[in-house]
């Protein structure tokens, strides 16, 4: 025997039934919850719809993991076979659309997680500019050393050469990270790569006449 419903449950059940009869088309519990402007909690709407099914006032149809509800046509004016078939088709179509939207949402969430775990374009470009300056300074120092313009020990020269190589490696790594970030943005950017660079105010190595030494 079904326990007596609270006033809130009765109100939710009445609102759901009136809405479903008035609309006379299939909806999911989420649809009804939203279409009633969230006046009743989602759990209350879900419970009301399941109870109305038990009371044979609503019917339910399950498509995979999706469930939709519609007013029991036996309690309404008789619907033609064509109308019932149209309702079934609409219910299936809505379930298919929902699955597609959920798949797209999961893809976008995954892309956002990847972007959040890497440097932003602004951060990458700032770091790249810093490395370019440091690299140029090291190149000038190395040139002087190689031309014997400054007398230093072989150990110091080796240290500077190592620092130069590390800077080049860091430049190459940061440039790759920057380009990966830009390419991720370009996947949803409606214009060209050149337009994107101009939009965010980024100068490439080629724009400033810098050339990354070959490995």
């Amino acid at each position: 025997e079904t326990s007596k419903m609270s006033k809130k449950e009765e109100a939710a059940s009445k609102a759901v039934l009136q809405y479903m009869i008035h609309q006379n088309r299939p909806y999911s519990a989420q649809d009804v919850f939203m279409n009633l402007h969230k006046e009743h909690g989602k759990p209350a709407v879900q419970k009301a719809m399941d109870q109305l099914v038990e009371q044979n006032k609503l019917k339910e149809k399950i498509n995979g993991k999706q469930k939709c509800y519609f007013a029991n046509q036996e309690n309404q004016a008789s619907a033609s076979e064509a109308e019932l078939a149209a309702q079934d088709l609409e219910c299936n179509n809505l379930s298919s659309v929902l699955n597609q939207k959920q798949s797209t949402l999961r893809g976008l969430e995954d892309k956002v997680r990847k972007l959040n775990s890497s440097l932003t374009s602004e951060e990458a470009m700032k770091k790249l500019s810093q490395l370019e300056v440091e690299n140029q300074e090291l190149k000038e120092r190395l040139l002087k050393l190689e031309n014997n313009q400054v007398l230093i020990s072989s150990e110091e020269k080796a240290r500077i050469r190592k620092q130069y190589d590390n800077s080049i490696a860091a430049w190459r790594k940061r440039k790759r990270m920057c380009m990966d970030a830009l390419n991720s943005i370009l996947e949803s950017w409606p214009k060209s790569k050149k337009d994107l660079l101009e939009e965010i105010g980024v100068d490439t190595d080629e724009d400033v006449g810098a050339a990354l030494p070959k490995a």
Side-chain angles (χ1 to χ4, degrees):
E1 184 176 339
T2 304
S3 59
K4 185 177 181 180
M5 292 189 294
S6 67
K7 290 184 178 180
K8 287 186 177 180
E9 289 175 333
E10 289 180 353
S13 180
K14 182 178 180 181
V16 168
L17 182 59
Q18 287 180 343
Y19 179 78
M20 294 296 290
I21 292 176
H22 181 263
Q23 296 297 322
N24 198 27
R25 55 176 292 183
Y27 286 106
S28 68
Q30 175 68 21
D31 292 332
V32 175
F33 168 64
M34 296 299 294
N35 293 345
L36 292 177
H37 309 293
K38 303 181 182 180
E39 291 181 4
H40 306 278
K42 185 176 178 181
V45 170
Q46 181 68 66
K47 183 177 181 180
M49 298 187 81
D50 290 335
Q51 288 178 337
L52 289 169
V53 170
E54 293 178 3
Q55 297 167 7
N56 207 32
K57 295 179 180 179
L58 294 183
K59 293 288 187 180
E60 66 179 4
K61 186 174 181 64
I62 300 175
N63 293 288
K65 295 183 179 180
Q66 304 300 323
K67 183 187 293 186
C68 64
Y69 302 81
F70 52 91
N72 186 350
Q73 299 302 306
E74 294 176 1
N75 301 329
Q76 311 297 321
S78 299
S80 67
E81 289 296 327
E83 289 173 333
L84 292 175
Q87 287 184 347
D88 284 341
L89 179 60
E90 184 174 12
C91 187
N92 291 333
N93 289 339
L94 289 173
S95 296
S96 177
V97 170
L98 178 60
N99 288 333
Q100 292 174 3
K101 296 295 184 182
Q102 290 176 333
S103 177
T104 300
L105 177 60
R106 286 193 295 270
L108 291 174
E109 289 175 342
D110 184 58
K111 184 178 293 185
V112 168
R113 281 193 296 270
K114 290 180 179 178
L115 288 175
N116 287 338
S117 64
S118 62
L119 290 175
T120 65
S121 298
E122 182 179 355
E123 291 171 339
M125 287 303 171
K126 183 178 180 180
K127 188 64 177 179
L128 179 60
S129 298
Q130 178 184 339
L131 290 172
E132 288 174 346
V133 171
E134 294 176 359
N135 180 62
Q136 184 60 34
E137 292 175 351
L138 289 172
K139 285 175 65 177
E140 293 174 356
R141 289 182 61 189
L142 182 61
L143 181 61
K144 291 180 180 179
L145 291 172
E146 290 176 341
N147 291 333
N148 295 320
Q149 293 182 12
V150 179
L151 297 177
I152 61 172
S153 66
S154 58
E155 290 80 8
E156 178 68 9
K157 187 174 183 178
R159 186 188 67 78
I160 294 174
R161 166 60 75 174
K162 182 178 180 180
Q163 186 177 356
Y164 170 77
D165 291 339
N166 289 341
S167 295
I168 293 299
W171 181 4
R172 183 173 287 109
K173 178 181 178 181
R174 294 294 182 177
K175 180 176 182 179
R176 182 174 63 254
M177 292 174 64
C178 175
M179 296 312 297
D180 288 345
L182 286 173
N183 288 334
S184 294
I185 297 173
L186 280 170
E187 291 180 4
S188 57
W189 180 254
K191 301 179 183 178
S192 67
K193 181 178 181 179
K194 181 179 179 181
D195 291 330
L196 174 59
L197 294 175
E198 291 178 354
E199 180 73 19
I200 62 179
V202 171
D203 292 325
T204 64
D205 290 350
E206 292 75 13
D207 292 335
V208 298
L212 183 64
K214 295 182 179 179

